[in-house]
Amino acid sequence: MRPVIIAANWKMNTTPGDAGALARTIAERTREPGVVRVICPPYVCLAAVRDALEQEDVAVGAQNVHHELAGAYTGEVSASMLAGLATWVILGHSERRRDAGESDALIGRKLGRALASGLRPILCVGEQLAEREAGRAARVVADQLAGCLAGHDPAALMAAGLVIAYEPVWAIGTGRNASGADAAAMTDDIRATLRAGGWGSLADGVPVLYGGSATAANIGEFLAQPGIDGALVGGASLKADEMAGIVARAAVTAAARAAAAG
Ligand code: PGA
């Protein structure tokens, strides 16, 4: 039985002064059984969020990590610096692919660093609008997966708790979400790609999240799909009301899965 996961990606929002209060409010309003909750604030807010969540069963994640542990990398943050601050990390977000030029190969190195450092990775993949319209979405995502996962041992990635987030780029921050059916088709394709890429039946155990304008109003469309295991939430994750609605719906799916598993 795969877990149901709701991860908040706060992106470049909040400050060390206000992040802790927001994290605590969200935690208090999302205490639902069976849902894995993760909050990923900016680096400089990690300590405040960690402290605010001390009594809560909510994990803290970083939004990125450098592939090296230390050295002449101005402005970067390494996995060793995140020790004690974060236990999860988002890798390969499309905004970093776009703004920081992150390649699949580089993201693959970051993945290796996350594994070596005990950070649980959320690996983001997703196609551009033109790629979807050209019928190439599944190919693009399969290539991203192949590039990011090359050289990594499936069993080690499973042991590290790898999570994949399918985030169609055209749906991120646009208010235009994918349909549940399209997202489910892609999660099937993602697991098929893994299966064919040497994962075999391990592919069935990898949680795959949807991301892209997910809200309390549309989350049910995704969580009704058996292949979708939760969401990576951006804009809506800054609003406690939205998070309360999203996690409440996620708890329904978690309960149904637990009942089905006996
Ligand atoms: P969004 O962002 O929910 O604001 O579309 C999702 C993400 O980028 O992870």
Side-chain angles (χ1 to χ4, degrees):
M1 192 182 88
R2 295 189 303 264
V4 177
I5 301 168
I6 300 296
N9 175 11
W10 284 359
K11 308 193 180 187
M12 198 172 73
N13 294 292
T14 70
T15 68
D18 60 26
L22 178 61
R24 198 174 307 109
T25 302
I26 289 173
E28 286 166 355
R29 297 203 46 202
T30 57
R31 286 193 193 122
E32 303 279 351
V35 181
V36 177
R37 294 169 293 164
V38 189
I39 295 179
C40 305
Y43 285 136
V44 296
C45 301
L46 284 168
V49 170
R50 174 204 56 194
D51 292 349
L53 298 178
E54 211 169 27
Q55 308 296 326
E56 300 283 347
D57 187 18
V58 180
V60 180
Q63 298 172 14
N64 179 35
V65 72
H66 198 268
H67 56 283
E68 296 291 353
L69 272 184
Y73 302 100
T74 301
E76 296 288 345
V77 171
S78 76
S80 51
M81 299 170 190
L82 294 174
L85 290 172
T87 54
W88 291 57
V89 65
I90 298 170
L91 296 177
H93 191 280
S94 67
E95 287 153 11
R96 294 206 55 81
R97 293 174 184 262
R98 179 194 68 201
D99 298 339
E102 290 192 5
S103 66
D104 292 327
L106 179 71
I107 295 161
R109 294 178 70 184
K110 290 170 181 262
L111 191 55
R113 183 59 65 195
L115 259 61
S117 306
L119 290 167
R120 186 168 181 182
I122 301 176
L123 173 64
C124 302
V125 293
E127 82 285 356
Q128 307 279 341
L129 184 58
E131 293 165 338
R132 172 155 289 269
E133 287 175 342
R136 297 182 51 239
R139 179 75 261 151
V140 166
V141 169
D143 287 349
Q144 288 174 339
L145 284 172
C148 294
L149 299 179
H152 291 293
D153 173 32
L157 290 170
M158 285 303 288
L162 173 71
V163 174
I164 294 173
Y166 167 56
E167 300 204 304
V169 177
W170 47 270
I172 295 177
T174 59
R176 178 184 172 192
N177 59 284
S179 72
D182 282 350
M186 186 64 84
T187 60
D188 288 349
D189 289 338
I190 286 170
R191 291 200 179 89
T193 296
L194 296 180
R195 217 173 282 123
W199 285 62
S201 59
L202 283 181
D204 297 321
V206 181
V208 181
L209 313 183
Y210 168 76
S213 299
T215 63
N218 64 31
I219 191 70
E221 184 174 346
F222 302 102
L223 288 169
Q225 304 287 344
I228 298 179
D229 303 313
L232 179 56
V233 186
S237 75
L238 292 159
K239 298 176 187 146
D241 284 348
E242 285 286 330
M243 284 298 281
I246 289 169
V247 176
R249 178 59 188 78
V252 173
T253 290
R257 288 186 180 191

Short mmCIF file of all heavy atoms in Angstrom, two decimals, residues 164-232:
data_model
loop_
_atom_site.label_atom_id
_atom_site.label_comp_id
_atom_site.label_asym_id
_atom_site.label_seq_id
_atom_site.Cartn_x
_atom_site.Cartn_y
_atom_site.Cartn_z
N ILE A 164 8.05 10.62 -6.75
CA ILE A 164 8.08 11.34 -8.02
C ILE A 164 6.88 12.28 -8.07
O ILE A 164 5.77 11.89 -7.68
CB ILE A 164 8.05 10.35 -9.21
CG1 ILE A 164 9.36 9.54 -9.21
CG2 ILE A 164 7.87 11.08 -10.54
CD1 ILE A 164 9.42 8.43 -10.22
N ALA A 165 7.13 13.52 -8.49
CA ALA A 165 6.03 14.47 -8.66
C ALA A 165 5.88 14.76 -10.15
O ALA A 165 6.82 15.25 -10.78
CB ALA A 165 6.30 15.76 -7.89
N TYR A 166 4.71 14.42 -10.68
CA TYR A 166 4.40 14.76 -12.07
C TYR A 166 3.78 16.15 -12.07
O TYR A 166 2.66 16.34 -11.57
CB TYR A 166 3.46 13.74 -12.71
CG TYR A 166 2.90 14.26 -14.01
CD1 TYR A 166 3.77 14.67 -15.03
CD2 TYR A 166 1.54 14.40 -14.22
CE1 TYR A 166 3.29 15.20 -16.22
CE2 TYR A 166 1.04 14.92 -15.41
CZ TYR A 166 1.92 15.31 -16.40
OH TYR A 166 1.44 15.85 -17.58
N GLU A 167 4.51 17.10 -12.63
CA GLU A 167 4.05 18.48 -12.65
C GLU A 167 4.12 19.03 -14.08
O GLU A 167 5.18 19.50 -14.51
CB GLU A 167 4.92 19.36 -11.74
CG GLU A 167 4.93 18.92 -10.30
CD GLU A 167 5.28 20.08 -9.38
OE1 GLU A 167 6.34 20.70 -9.55
OE2 GLU A 167 4.46 20.37 -8.50
N PRO A 168 3.00 18.96 -14.81
CA PRO A 168 3.02 19.55 -16.14
C PRO A 168 3.33 21.05 -16.04
O PRO A 168 2.67 21.75 -15.26
CB PRO A 168 1.60 19.29 -16.67
CG PRO A 168 0.78 18.88 -15.50
CD PRO A 168 1.70 18.41 -14.43
N VAL A 169 4.34 21.50 -16.76
CA VAL A 169 4.84 22.86 -16.56
C VAL A 169 3.74 23.90 -16.82
O VAL A 169 3.66 24.91 -16.13
CB VAL A 169 6.07 23.10 -17.47
CG1 VAL A 169 6.56 24.54 -17.34
CG2 VAL A 169 7.18 22.13 -17.12
N TRP A 170 2.88 23.62 -17.78
CA TRP A 170 1.82 24.57 -18.15
C TRP A 170 0.75 24.69 -17.07
O TRP A 170 -0.10 25.59 -17.12
CB TRP A 170 1.19 24.14 -19.48
CG TRP A 170 0.85 22.68 -19.53
CD1 TRP A 170 1.66 21.67 -19.97
CD2 TRP A 170 -0.35 22.06 -19.10
NE1 TRP A 170 1.03 20.46 -19.83
CE2 TRP A 170 -0.21 20.67 -19.32
CE3 TRP A 170 -1.56 22.54 -18.57
CZ2 TRP A 170 -1.22 19.75 -19.01
CZ3 TRP A 170 -2.56 21.62 -18.26
CH2 TRP A 170 -2.38 20.25 -18.49
N ALA A 171 0.77 23.78 -16.11
CA ALA A 171 -0.23 23.81 -15.04
C ALA A 171 0.29 24.48 -13.77
O ALA A 171 -0.48 24.76 -12.85
CB ALA A 171 -0.69 22.39 -14.71
N ILE A 172 1.60 24.74 -13.73
CA ILE A 172 2.19 25.26 -12.49
C ILE A 172 1.96 26.76 -12.37
O ILE A 172 2.38 27.53 -13.24
CB ILE A 172 3.70 24.95 -12.44
CG1 ILE A 172 3.92 23.44 -12.36
CG2 ILE A 172 4.35 25.66 -11.26
CD1 ILE A 172 5.38 23.03 -12.39
N GLY A 173 1.25 27.13 -11.32
CA GLY A 173 1.04 28.54 -11.03
C GLY A 173 0.14 29.25 -12.02
O GLY A 173 0.08 30.48 -12.04
N THR A 174 -0.57 28.51 -12.85
CA THR A 174 -1.39 29.12 -13.90
C THR A 174 -2.87 29.09 -13.59
O THR A 174 -3.66 29.72 -14.29
CB THR A 174 -1.18 28.36 -15.23
OG1 THR A 174 -1.56 27.00 -15.04
CG2 THR A 174 0.27 28.43 -15.68
N GLY A 175 -3.26 28.31 -12.58
CA GLY A 175 -4.67 28.15 -12.31
C GLY A 175 -5.32 27.18 -13.28
O GLY A 175 -6.53 26.95 -13.24
N ARG A 176 -4.51 26.60 -14.16
CA ARG A 176 -5.04 25.64 -15.15
C ARG A 176 -4.47 24.27 -14.81
O ARG A 176 -3.34 23.94 -15.20
CB ARG A 176 -4.57 26.09 -16.54
CG ARG A 176 -5.01 25.15 -17.63
CD ARG A 176 -4.44 25.58 -18.98
NE ARG A 176 -4.73 24.54 -19.96
CZ ARG A 176 -4.19 24.50 -21.16
NH1 ARG A 176 -3.33 25.43 -21.55
NH2 ARG A 176 -4.49 23.52 -21.98
N ASN A 177 -5.22 23.46 -14.08
CA ASN A 177 -4.73 22.14 -13.69
C ASN A 177 -4.95 21.12 -14.80
O ASN A 177 -5.82 21.29 -15.65
CB ASN A 177 -5.40 21.68 -12.40
CG ASN A 177 -6.92 21.60 -12.52
OD1 ASN A 177 -7.60 22.63 -12.51
ND2 ASN A 177 -7.44 20.39 -12.65
N ALA A 178 -4.15 20.06 -14.77
CA ALA A 178 -4.39 18.93 -15.67
C ALA A 178 -5.69 18.25 -15.26
O ALA A 178 -6.18 18.45 -14.14
CB ALA A 178 -3.23 17.95 -15.59
N SER A 179 -6.24 17.45 -16.13
CA SER A 179 -7.41 16.65 -15.72
C SER A 179 -6.91 15.46 -14.91
O SER A 179 -5.76 15.01 -15.07
CB SER A 179 -8.18 16.15 -16.94
OG SER A 179 -7.44 15.12 -17.58
N GLY A 180 -7.77 14.95 -14.04
CA GLY A 180 -7.40 13.77 -13.27
C GLY A 180 -7.05 12.60 -14.17
O GLY A 180 -6.09 11.87 -13.92
N ALA A 181 -7.79 12.45 -15.26
CA ALA A 181 -7.55 11.33 -16.17
C ALA A 181 -6.19 11.46 -16.85
O ALA A 181 -5.44 10.48 -16.97
CB ALA A 181 -8.67 11.25 -17.21
N ASP A 182 -5.86 12.67 -17.31
CA ASP A 182 -4.55 12.86 -17.97
C ASP A 182 -3.41 12.64 -16.98
O ASP A 182 -2.38 12.04 -17.32
CB ASP A 182 -4.44 14.28 -18.56
CG ASP A 182 -5.21 14.41 -19.88
OD1 ASP A 182 -5.67 13.37 -20.41
OD2 ASP A 182 -5.37 15.55 -20.35
N ALA A 183 -3.58 13.16 -15.76
CA ALA A 183 -2.53 12.98 -14.76
C ALA A 183 -2.38 11.50 -14.40
O ALA A 183 -1.26 11.00 -14.24
CB ALA A 183 -2.85 13.80 -13.51
N ALA A 184 -3.51 10.79 -14.33
CA ALA A 184 -3.44 9.36 -14.01
C ALA A 184 -2.77 8.58 -15.13
O ALA A 184 -2.00 7.65 -14.88
CB ALA A 184 -4.84 8.82 -13.75
N ALA A 185 -3.05 8.97 -16.37
CA ALA A 185 -2.41 8.30 -17.51
C ALA A 185 -0.90 8.49 -17.44
O ALA A 185 -0.12 7.55 -17.69
CB ALA A 185 -2.97 8.85 -18.82
N MET A 186 -0.50 9.70 -17.04
CA MET A 186 0.95 9.93 -16.95
C MET A 186 1.57 9.16 -15.79
O MET A 186 2.70 8.64 -15.92
CB MET A 186 1.24 11.43 -16.80
CG MET A 186 2.71 11.75 -16.84
SD MET A 186 3.49 11.36 -18.44
CE MET A 186 3.09 12.85 -19.37
N THR A 187 0.87 9.05 -14.68
CA THR A 187 1.46 8.27 -13.57
C THR A 187 1.60 6.80 -13.99
O THR A 187 2.57 6.14 -13.62
CB THR A 187 0.65 8.38 -12.27
OG1 THR A 187 -0.67 7.90 -12.48
CG2 THR A 187 0.59 9.80 -11.78
N ASP A 188 0.65 6.30 -14.79
CA ASP A 188 0.79 4.93 -15.31
C ASP A 188 2.03 4.85 -16.21
O ASP A 188 2.80 3.88 -16.13
CB ASP A 188 -0.45 4.53 -16.13
CG ASP A 188 -1.66 4.28 -15.24
OD1 ASP A 188 -1.50 4.21 -14.01
OD2 ASP A 188 -2.78 4.16 -15.80
N ASP A 189 2.19 5.86 -17.06
CA ASP A 189 3.36 5.88 -17.96
C ASP A 189 4.66 5.94 -17.15
O ASP A 189 5.65 5.30 -17.51
CB ASP A 189 3.29 7.09 -18.90
CG ASP A 189 2.21 6.94 -19.95
OD1 ASP A 189 1.80 5.80 -20.23
OD2 ASP A 189 1.77 7.98 -20.50
N ILE A 190 4.65 6.73 -16.08
CA ILE A 190 5.85 6.86 -15.24
C ILE A 190 6.23 5.51 -14.65
O ILE A 190 7.40 5.08 -14.71
CB ILE A 190 5.63 7.92 -14.14
CG1 ILE A 190 5.66 9.32 -14.77
CG2 ILE A 190 6.66 7.78 -13.02
CD1 ILE A 190 5.22 10.44 -13.83
N ARG A 191 5.24 4.79 -14.12
CA ARG A 191 5.56 3.49 -13.52
C ARG A 191 5.97 2.48 -14.60
O ARG A 191 6.83 1.64 -14.37
CB ARG A 191 4.39 2.98 -12.68
CG ARG A 191 4.19 3.81 -11.42
CD ARG A 191 3.39 3.09 -10.34
NE ARG A 191 3.27 3.95 -9.17
CZ ARG A 191 2.28 4.84 -8.98
NH1 ARG A 191 1.31 4.96 -9.87
NH2 ARG A 191 2.26 5.60 -7.90
N ALA A 192 5.36 2.60 -15.79
CA ALA A 192 5.74 1.70 -16.89
C ALA A 192 7.19 1.98 -17.31
O ALA A 192 7.96 1.04 -17.61
CB ALA A 192 4.80 1.89 -18.08
N THR A 193 7.57 3.25 -17.33
CA THR A 193 8.95 3.61 -17.67
C THR A 193 9.93 3.01 -16.66
O THR A 193 10.96 2.45 -17.03
CB THR A 193 9.11 5.15 -17.68
OG1 THR A 193 8.28 5.68 -18.72
CG2 THR A 193 10.55 5.57 -17.93
N LEU A 194 9.58 3.13 -15.39
CA LEU A 194 10.45 2.57 -14.35
C LEU A 194 10.53 1.05 -14.50
O LEU A 194 11.63 0.47 -14.46
CB LEU A 194 9.92 2.91 -12.95
CG LEU A 194 9.89 4.39 -12.56
CD1 LEU A 194 9.32 4.55 -11.16
CD2 LEU A 194 11.28 5.01 -12.64
N ARG A 195 9.38 0.43 -14.68
CA ARG A 195 9.33 -1.03 -14.79
C ARG A 195 10.26 -1.50 -15.91
O ARG A 195 11.07 -2.40 -15.73
CB ARG A 195 7.88 -1.47 -15.07
CG ARG A 195 7.47 -2.75 -14.41
CD ARG A 195 5.97 -3.00 -14.60
NE ARG A 195 5.14 -2.19 -13.71
CZ ARG A 195 4.19 -1.34 -14.10
NH1 ARG A 195 3.90 -1.19 -15.38
NH2 ARG A 195 3.52 -0.66 -13.21
N ALA A 196 10.14 -0.82 -17.06
CA ALA A 196 10.94 -1.21 -18.22
C ALA A 196 12.41 -0.83 -18.03
O ALA A 196 13.29 -1.38 -18.70
CB ALA A 196 10.38 -0.53 -19.47
N GLY A 197 12.67 0.12 -17.12
CA GLY A 197 14.03 0.60 -16.92
C GLY A 197 14.78 -0.16 -15.84
O GLY A 197 15.75 0.36 -15.28
N GLY A 198 14.33 -1.35 -15.52
CA GLY A 198 15.07 -2.18 -14.58
C GLY A 198 14.48 -2.21 -13.18
O GLY A 198 15.02 -2.85 -12.28
N TRP A 199 13.35 -1.53 -12.99
CA TRP A 199 12.74 -1.50 -11.67
C TRP A 199 11.86 -2.72 -11.41
O TRP A 199 11.61 -3.07 -10.26
CB TRP A 199 11.89 -0.24 -11.49
CG TRP A 199 12.69 1.00 -11.29
CD1 TRP A 199 13.57 1.56 -12.17
CD2 TRP A 199 12.68 1.85 -10.14
NE1 TRP A 199 14.12 2.70 -11.64
CE2 TRP A 199 13.58 2.91 -10.40
CE3 TRP A 199 12.00 1.82 -8.92
CZ2 TRP A 199 13.82 3.92 -9.47
CZ3 TRP A 199 12.23 2.84 -8.00
CH2 TRP A 199 13.15 3.86 -8.28
N GLY A 200 11.34 -3.31 -12.50
CA GLY A 200 10.43 -4.43 -12.32
C GLY A 200 9.26 -4.04 -11.43
O GLY A 200 8.74 -2.92 -11.52
N SER A 201 8.89 -4.93 -10.52
CA SER A 201 7.71 -4.69 -9.69
C SER A 201 7.94 -3.60 -8.63
O SER A 201 6.97 -3.11 -8.02
CB SER A 201 7.28 -5.99 -9.02
OG SER A 201 8.33 -6.47 -8.22
N LEU A 202 9.19 -3.20 -8.42
CA LEU A 202 9.45 -2.10 -7.47
C LEU A 202 8.71 -0.84 -7.90
O LEU A 202 8.35 0.00 -7.06
CB LEU A 202 10.95 -1.79 -7.39
CG LEU A 202 11.85 -2.73 -6.59
CD1 LEU A 202 13.29 -2.22 -6.64
CD2 LEU A 202 11.38 -2.84 -5.15
N ALA A 203 8.50 -0.71 -9.22
CA ALA A 203 7.84 0.50 -9.75
C ALA A 203 6.47 0.71 -9.12
O ALA A 203 6.02 1.85 -8.95
CB ALA A 203 7.72 0.40 -11.26
N ASP A 204 5.82 -0.38 -8.76
CA ASP A 204 4.46 -0.26 -8.20
C ASP A 204 4.46 0.37 -6.81
O ASP A 204 3.42 0.82 -6.33
CB ASP A 204 3.79 -1.63 -8.14
CG ASP A 204 3.62 -2.22 -9.53
OD1 ASP A 204 3.30 -1.45 -10.45
OD2 ASP A 204 3.84 -3.43 -9.70
N GLY A 205 5.63 0.39 -6.16
CA GLY A 205 5.69 0.93 -4.81
C GLY A 205 6.10 2.40 -4.74
O GLY A 205 6.11 2.98 -3.65
N VAL A 206 6.43 2.99 -5.88
CA VAL A 206 6.91 4.38 -5.87
C VAL A 206 5.72 5.34 -5.79
O VAL A 206 4.86 5.32 -6.68
CB VAL A 206 7.71 4.71 -7.14
CG1 VAL A 206 8.21 6.15 -7.11
CG2 VAL A 206 8.87 3.75 -7.29
N PRO A 207 5.65 6.17 -4.77
CA PRO A 207 4.57 7.16 -4.74
C PRO A 207 4.76 8.18 -5.87
O PRO A 207 5.86 8.68 -6.09
CB PRO A 207 4.73 7.84 -3.37
CG PRO A 207 5.59 6.92 -2.57
CD PRO A 207 6.48 6.22 -3.56
N VAL A 208 3.67 8.48 -6.57
CA VAL A 208 3.69 9.51 -7.60
C VAL A 208 2.64 10.56 -7.24
O VAL A 208 1.46 10.24 -7.03
CB VAL A 208 3.40 8.94 -9.00
CG1 VAL A 208 3.46 10.06 -10.05
CG2 VAL A 208 4.42 7.85 -9.36
N LEU A 209 3.09 11.81 -7.12
CA LEU A 209 2.20 12.92 -6.78
C LEU A 209 1.85 13.71 -8.03
O LEU A 209 2.61 13.70 -9.00
CB LEU A 209 2.89 13.87 -5.78
CG LEU A 209 3.59 13.25 -4.57
CD1 LEU A 209 4.15 14.36 -3.67
CD2 LEU A 209 2.64 12.35 -3.80
N TYR A 210 0.73 14.41 -7.97
CA TYR A 210 0.40 15.38 -9.02
C TYR A 210 0.76 16.77 -8.50
O TYR A 210 0.57 17.07 -7.32
CB TYR A 210 -1.09 15.34 -9.38
CG TYR A 210 -1.46 16.53 -10.24
CD1 TYR A 210 -1.10 16.56 -11.58
CD2 TYR A 210 -2.07 17.66 -9.69
CE1 TYR A 210 -1.36 17.67 -12.37
CE2 TYR A 210 -2.34 18.78 -10.46
CZ TYR A 210 -1.98 18.77 -11.79
OH TYR A 210 -2.21 19.89 -12.56
N GLY A 211 1.23 17.64 -9.39
CA GLY A 211 1.46 19.04 -9.03
C GLY A 211 1.11 19.94 -10.19
O GLY A 211 1.36 19.60 -11.35
N GLY A 212 0.55 21.10 -9.88
CA GLY A 212 0.17 22.06 -10.90
C GLY A 212 -1.22 22.61 -10.63
O GLY A 212 -2.21 22.00 -11.00
N SER A 213 -1.25 23.77 -9.93
CA SER A 213 -2.52 24.41 -9.59
C SER A 213 -3.48 23.49 -8.84
O SER A 213 -4.70 23.56 -9.02
CB SER A 213 -3.19 24.98 -10.86
OG SER A 213 -2.37 25.97 -11.46
N ALA A 214 -2.92 22.62 -8.01
CA ALA A 214 -3.76 21.78 -7.15
C ALA A 214 -4.37 22.66 -6.05
O ALA A 214 -3.69 23.52 -5.49
CB ALA A 214 -2.94 20.65 -6.53
N THR A 215 -5.65 22.44 -5.78
CA THR A 215 -6.37 23.22 -4.76
C THR A 215 -7.32 22.29 -4.00
O THR A 215 -7.53 21.13 -4.39
CB THR A 215 -7.24 24.32 -5.41
OG1 THR A 215 -8.24 23.67 -6.23
CG2 THR A 215 -6.42 25.27 -6.27
N ALA A 216 -7.93 22.84 -2.96
CA ALA A 216 -8.93 22.06 -2.22
C ALA A 216 -10.09 21.70 -3.14
O ALA A 216 -10.72 20.65 -2.97
CB ALA A 216 -9.40 22.85 -1.00
N ALA A 217 -10.38 22.57 -4.10
CA ALA A 217 -11.53 22.34 -4.99
C ALA A 217 -11.27 21.23 -6.01
O ALA A 217 -12.20 20.55 -6.42
CB ALA A 217 -11.90 23.64 -5.70
N ASN A 218 -10.02 21.08 -6.45
CA ASN A 218 -9.79 20.07 -7.51
C ASN A 218 -9.02 18.84 -7.04
O ASN A 218 -8.85 17.88 -7.81
CB ASN A 218 -9.10 20.71 -8.73
CG ASN A 218 -7.70 21.24 -8.42
OD1 ASN A 218 -6.99 20.71 -7.57
ND2 ASN A 218 -7.29 22.29 -9.13
N ILE A 219 -8.56 18.81 -5.79
CA ILE A 219 -7.71 17.70 -5.34
C ILE A 219 -8.43 16.36 -5.44
O ILE A 219 -7.81 15.31 -5.71
CB ILE A 219 -7.19 17.95 -3.90
CG1 ILE A 219 -6.10 16.95 -3.53
CG2 ILE A 219 -8.31 17.92 -2.87
CD1 ILE A 219 -4.81 17.12 -4.27
N GLY A 220 -9.74 16.37 -5.26
CA GLY A 220 -10.49 15.12 -5.31
C GLY A 220 -10.40 14.43 -6.66
O GLY A 220 -10.39 13.20 -6.76
N GLU A 221 -10.30 15.24 -7.71
CA GLU A 221 -10.19 14.69 -9.06
C GLU A 221 -8.91 13.84 -9.20
O GLU A 221 -8.89 12.84 -9.91
CB GLU A 221 -10.17 15.86 -10.05
CG GLU A 221 -10.16 15.46 -11.49
CD GLU A 221 -10.29 16.66 -12.44
OE1 GLU A 221 -10.65 17.77 -11.99
OE2 GLU A 221 -10.01 16.46 -13.63
N PHE A 222 -7.87 14.27 -8.50
CA PHE A 222 -6.59 13.53 -8.59
C PHE A 222 -6.58 12.35 -7.62
O PHE A 222 -6.14 11.26 -7.98
CB PHE A 222 -5.43 14.50 -8.32
CG PHE A 222 -5.43 15.63 -9.30
CD1 PHE A 222 -5.89 16.89 -8.96
CD2 PHE A 222 -5.01 15.42 -10.61
CE1 PHE A 222 -5.95 17.91 -9.89
CE2 PHE A 222 -5.07 16.43 -11.55
CZ PHE A 222 -5.53 17.69 -11.18
N LEU A 223 -7.06 12.59 -6.41
CA LEU A 223 -7.00 11.53 -5.41
C LEU A 223 -8.00 10.42 -5.67
O LEU A 223 -7.90 9.35 -5.08
CB LEU A 223 -7.18 12.13 -4.01
CG LEU A 223 -5.96 12.93 -3.54
CD1 LEU A 223 -6.28 13.72 -2.28
CD2 LEU A 223 -4.77 12.00 -3.29
N ALA A 224 -8.94 10.65 -6.57
CA ALA A 224 -9.86 9.58 -6.96
C ALA A 224 -9.16 8.58 -7.88
O ALA A 224 -9.70 7.50 -8.14
CB ALA A 224 -11.08 10.17 -7.66
N GLN A 225 -7.99 8.93 -8.37
CA GLN A 225 -7.25 8.06 -9.29
C GLN A 225 -6.35 7.13 -8.46
O GLN A 225 -5.50 7.62 -7.70
CB GLN A 225 -6.38 8.91 -10.23
CG GLN A 225 -7.15 9.95 -11.02
CD GLN A 225 -7.99 9.33 -12.12
OE1 GLN A 225 -7.78 8.17 -12.49
NE2 GLN A 225 -8.94 10.09 -12.64
N PRO A 226 -6.50 5.83 -8.64
CA PRO A 226 -5.72 4.90 -7.80
C PRO A 226 -4.21 5.05 -7.97
O PRO A 226 -3.45 4.73 -7.06
CB PRO A 226 -6.17 3.51 -8.28
CG PRO A 226 -7.35 3.73 -9.15
CD PRO A 226 -7.45 5.16 -9.53
N GLY A 227 -3.77 5.55 -9.12
CA GLY A 227 -2.33 5.65 -9.35
C GLY A 227 -1.70 6.93 -8.81
O GLY A 227 -0.47 7.08 -8.84
N ILE A 228 -2.51 7.86 -8.36
CA ILE A 228 -2.00 9.14 -7.86
C ILE A 228 -2.01 9.12 -6.34
O ILE A 228 -3.04 8.83 -5.72
CB ILE A 228 -2.83 10.32 -8.41
CG1 ILE A 228 -2.74 10.36 -9.94
CG2 ILE A 228 -2.34 11.65 -7.81
CD1 ILE A 228 -3.55 11.47 -10.59
N ASP A 229 -0.88 9.43 -5.74
CA ASP A 229 -0.70 9.23 -4.29
C ASP A 229 -0.66 10.53 -3.49
O ASP A 229 -0.20 10.51 -2.34
CB ASP A 229 0.57 8.42 -4.06
CG ASP A 229 0.52 7.10 -4.81
OD1 ASP A 229 -0.52 6.41 -4.71
OD2 ASP A 229 1.48 6.77 -5.52
N GLY A 230 -1.10 11.63 -4.09
CA GLY A 230 -1.10 12.88 -3.35
C GLY A 230 -0.72 14.02 -4.25
O GLY A 230 -0.84 13.92 -5.47
N ALA A 231 -0.24 15.10 -3.65
CA ALA A 231 0.04 16.30 -4.44
C ALA A 231 1.23 17.06 -3.89
O ALA A 231 1.50 17.04 -2.68
CB ALA A 231 -1.19 17.21 -4.47
N LEU A 232 1.92 17.72 -4.83
CA LEU A 232 2.90 18.74 -4.49
C LEU A 232 2.21 20.07 -4.78
O LEU A 232 1.86 20.35 -5.92
CB LEU A 232 4.18 18.57 -5.34
CG LEU A 232 5.30 19.58 -5.10
CD1 LEU A 232 5.74 19.63 -3.64
CD2 LEU A 232 6.52 19.23 -5.98
#
